[in-house]
Amino acid sequence: LIKAAKILLAEGYKDFKVKICGYCPSSKWAAIYQPMLHGVEVIDADIRRIPNEEIPNLFEESHYFVMPYQDIAQSGAITVAFYYNLPVIVSNLDSFKEYISDKENGYFFEVGSAELLALTMKYAIDHHKENYIRLRVNQMRMLEEKLSVTAVLKKYKRYIDCLCQN
């Protein structure tokens, strides 16, 4: 994410802000990531365990939630973004593909590629006015279809019905 922000800056993009929030061991942060931030004024880093009462403000103040994960089994953070109706920019991992349709309710980029993350961020910035509302509407639709109480109960019912038939 830091490398992607630097690429955007080098290409002349200045009207964006990246917030990096959450815990990282201080030795790792100081040795690896903090030196990368030198001269990168668009990044605001808040490296600590974020108290639960501060999390709503982080989501409400943002336009996109970027998840440049290398691998994942599951992520509760993405569902929080969904419930805040915050479009996501995520690595194209299979775990995310169940909920995200590229350029419909979020954006995908190739795992581990700062260049492709930068390209995706650039697309989101360049097409924000024309796509943002549509992304949010489609995200709400997906939330209703896949994660609402009604949708989850329907899945449980099908599962139980299937068990009872066997």
Side-chain angles (χ1 to χ4, degrees):
L1 183 55
I2 296 168
K3 289 177 184 177
K6 285 181 166 186
I7 291 169
L8 289 177
L9 284 170
E11 292 182 9
Y13 284 79
K14 304 235 185 287
D15 195 20
F16 72 99
K17 180 71 110 178
V18 173
K19 283 188 84 125
I20 299 175
C21 302
Y23 176 76
C24 180
S26 58
S27 59
K28 186 175 184 179
W29 180 259
I32 299 171
Y33 303 112
Q34 196 164 22
M36 294 173 68
L37 295 179
H38 182 71
V40 186
E41 65 278 355
V42 297
I43 295 180
D44 177 16
D46 186 3
I47 307 307
R48 63 188 170 99
R49 292 198 189 278
I50 306 297
N52 287 340
E53 59 272 8
E54 293 180 30
I55 291 172
N57 288 337
L58 291 174
F59 281 93
E60 289 170 357
E61 294 169 353
S62 302
H63 287 98
Y64 296 92
F65 185 58
V66 182
M67 300 175 72
Y69 290 12
Q70 299 290 323
D71 62 46
I72 186 170
Q74 62 82 33
S75 173
I78 197 168
T79 56
V80 175
F82 292 157
Y83 282 103
Y84 278 93
N85 200 208
L86 189 61
V88 296
I89 299 173
V90 296
S91 306
N92 63 347
L93 297 168
D94 288 340
S95 298
F96 293 140
K97 291 179 181 176
E98 180 179 354
Y99 302 106
I100 305 300
S101 296
D102 193 35
K103 294 188 176 98
E104 291 299 317
N105 64 351
Y107 298 113
F108 281 119
F109 67 93
E110 185 66 35
V111 173
S113 174
E115 294 79 14
L116 292 176
L117 173 54
L119 189 64
T120 304
M121 290 168 66
K122 187 162 73 168
Y123 181 87
I125 292 167
D126 289 345
H127 297 88
H128 179 79
K129 287 182 180 177
E130 65 196 64
N131 290 340
Y132 191 69
I133 298 300
R134 183 180 52 79
L135 289 169
R136 294 182 77 201
V137 167
N138 289 340
Q139 187 183 67
M140 286 188 294
R141 186 176 300 121
M142 179 282 302
L143 195 60
E144 182 62 34
E145 291 171 0
K146 294 187 177 187
L147 296 173
S148 68
V149 172
T150 303
V152 172
L153 288 174
K154 190 180 207 179
K155 288 177 190 174
Y156 274 120
K157 184 181 180 322
R158 267 193 306 238
Y159 175 73
I160 291 169
D161 287 348
C162 183
L163 286 177
C164 291
Q165 291 174 359
N166 292 327

